[in-house]
Amino acid sequence: MGPSNRREREKEALRIRILDAARYLFARDGYDAVTMRAIAERIEYSPRTIYLHFADKEDLVRELCRHDFQAFGTGMARAAKVQDPVERIKAIGIAYARFGVENKNHYRLMFMTDSPDYEGKGDEEWKGNPEVDAYAFLLGTAQEAIAAGRLRVPDAELATQTLWAGVHGVISLDIAKGDAIGCSTPLGV
């Protein structure tokens, strides 16, 4: 390994530090309250250093979202391997809950923090992909379970919204209250 490999590893390590600091600050303070200067102070670098990695705050948030939703999608990819649609719905819920419990700052930023809406801004590859569009994946699974007569509800969209809201609510409470909701371990997942 030569010096260029070391420099690349150091550059990537700094990029990850920037993303982690930004994620923490956005989750704690909200998108509008966080500045590039605040992120730089958190990692003890100058703001100029951050601009070597990201064009602006929107670029940084876009990268955070892309990175975090891809990590979230890893659990969904495992759930996609479950053949039975009802069991797959359970696996989706467990993957969702596990991600939220194990990645609280990621989850806060992704699902509990106001941030710019990037809908229609060049992320077409995300739409319909189970690994990055978990809601569409759950909806498709609910439709499959209804068609197979395994889920007795008249409306897949309503079932999906109910399931999604239920798991999101439990995760949000867990994040807000910690073990105060009566779990000996966070949600036991």
Side-chain angles (χ1 to χ4, degrees), residues 5-68:
N5 288 339
R6 181 179 52 83
R7 280 192 292 273
E8 286 302 314
R9 285 192 314 275
E10 289 171 352
K11 182 178 177 183
E12 183 58 24
L14 178 56
R15 183 178 175 81
I16 290 169
R17 281 184 64 198
I18 293 167
L19 290 170
D20 288 344
R23 182 183 297 108
Y24 171 80
L25 292 172
F26 288 137
R28 186 188 74 185
D29 301 335
Y31 176 80
D32 290 332
V34 176
T35 63
M36 296 296 257
R37 181 171 301 284
I39 296 167
E41 287 172 10
R42 178 126 183 115
I43 64 169
E44 300 178 337
Y45 276 83
S46 73
R48 199 169 73 178
T49 301
I50 294 175
Y51 287 108
L52 294 173
H53 295 269
F54 302 98
D56 54 26
K57 189 165 85 167
E58 272 198 23
D59 183 40
L60 196 155
V61 160
R62 179 183 286 282
E63 181 60 24
L64 273 174
C65 288
R66 182 179 307 281
H67 181 270
D68 292 352

Side-chain angles (χ1 to χ4, degrees), residues 113-188:
T113 304
D114 285 336
S115 59
D117 181 12
Y118 292 114
E119 186 69 31
K121 292 187 179 178
D123 290 326
E124 291 299 318
E125 73 274 12
W126 289 27
K127 293 184 176 130
N129 180 342
E131 291 185 36
V132 291
D133 191 346
Y135 184 86
F137 175 45
L138 178 58
L139 176 61
T141 301
Q143 289 167 335
E144 183 181 339
I146 291 168
R150 300 283 319 284
L151 189 60
R152 294 185 188 115
V153 295
D155 183 352
E157 184 72 40
L158 179 60
T160 301
Q161 289 176 10
T162 303
L163 292 166
W164 191 274
V167 176
H168 174 72
V170 171
I171 297 300
S172 298
L173 285 172
D174 184 67
I175 289 172
K177 303 292 183 188
D179 286 350
I181 63 172
C183 299
S184 59
T185 61
L187 296 182

